[in-house]
Amino acid sequence: MPKPSDSEIPRTRGRPRAFNEKTEQNTIKSLDRALGVLKELAQIESATLSELATVMKESPATLYRVLTTFALHGIAEMDQTAQTWHIGPEAYQIGSAFLRRTSLIDVSRPILRKLMQETGETANLGIEKNGSVFFMSQVETNTPIRAFFPPGTLSEMHASGIGKALLAHMDETRLKRFVARGLQTFTPHTLATPESLAADMVITRERGYALDDQEKNLGMRCIAAPIQDAYGEVIAGISVSGPTTRVSTDHIETLAKSVMLAARDVSNALGAKFS
């Protein structure tokens, strides 16, 4: 049977004929470079033009044109006094469009708020993204000393409560691939060897929650539990985090029960079935 020509192949509305061709001719190099600038600026949060140029190995003149274009649309802005560039409010509006269409965030928000009120500690929601924890939502406690992971923050999985909750339910192939990248040490408590992390994963699965015990930041603890979808797959994690003076060893079990119940509530809202 002869292969149909491009003109004979039906196309999904909104896609050009060459949609599936990932060739150079289908990309806009200047736009690709500009988006790279935006991502870098989001990671470092604040930078002068020269600092950003050094990090990105680009000329200040090129970056200035990119940033001023973004500024015209409110996606980036400059602090005139400090002469530093930042992400602008319109970038938040664009990101919020993604959050609005994500049912996970919609169903989790009231449960996060309830968890924060019940425990008195900051409640977090995160997913795995390219081998890191991507924090999607947070309800902060009003106490003066608290953990802070604003939406959009990335954190290392092996040194994060949510990250370890996700790793504990990752298939063996993916877990080995993750460990092979190397495990960075942040504090004397970081589980930075494959053996120590594997042992902790066994404990995490048995008790139903993960514990970050000062593994990323000294003086801070995080308790997390996995969230399942309607297919029984672990897709996210929910946690509470706070200083060791409040999240003490005596209170871990009590807080863990609240976290696991919150994870179950979110999972139920997503259609998960528990035996």
Side-chain angles (χ1 to χ4, degrees), residues 56-71:
M56 298 203 67
K57 297 182 173 60
E58 293 275 4
S59 74
T62 298
L63 291 183
Y64 183 73
R65 289 195 296 271
V66 170
L67 291 169
T68 52
T69 302
F70 279 141

Side-chain angles (χ1 to χ4, degrees), residues 84-148:
T84 52
W85 286 90
H86 311 263
I87 292 296
E90 189 60 30
Y92 173 79
Q93 294 295 328
I94 295 170
S96 295
F98 166 75
L99 298 181
R100 285 194 298 272
R101 74 173 181 84
T102 307
S103 61
L104 173 61
I105 294 176
D106 294 337
V107 301
S108 299
R109 192 68 187 173
I111 298 170
L112 283 171
R113 189 174 296 109
K114 179 183 176 184
L115 181 60
M116 184 278 292
Q117 292 169 345
E118 184 177 311
T119 63
E121 300 300 340
T122 297
N124 314 285
L125 176 73
I127 61 172
E128 185 270 336
K129 181 180 180 183
N130 299 326
S132 297
V133 177
F134 177 75
F135 288 94
M136 302 181 75
S137 188
Q138 181 184 73
V139 176
E140 284 187 85
T141 179
N142 294 320
T143 53
I145 301 174
R146 57 189 184 270
F148 185 55

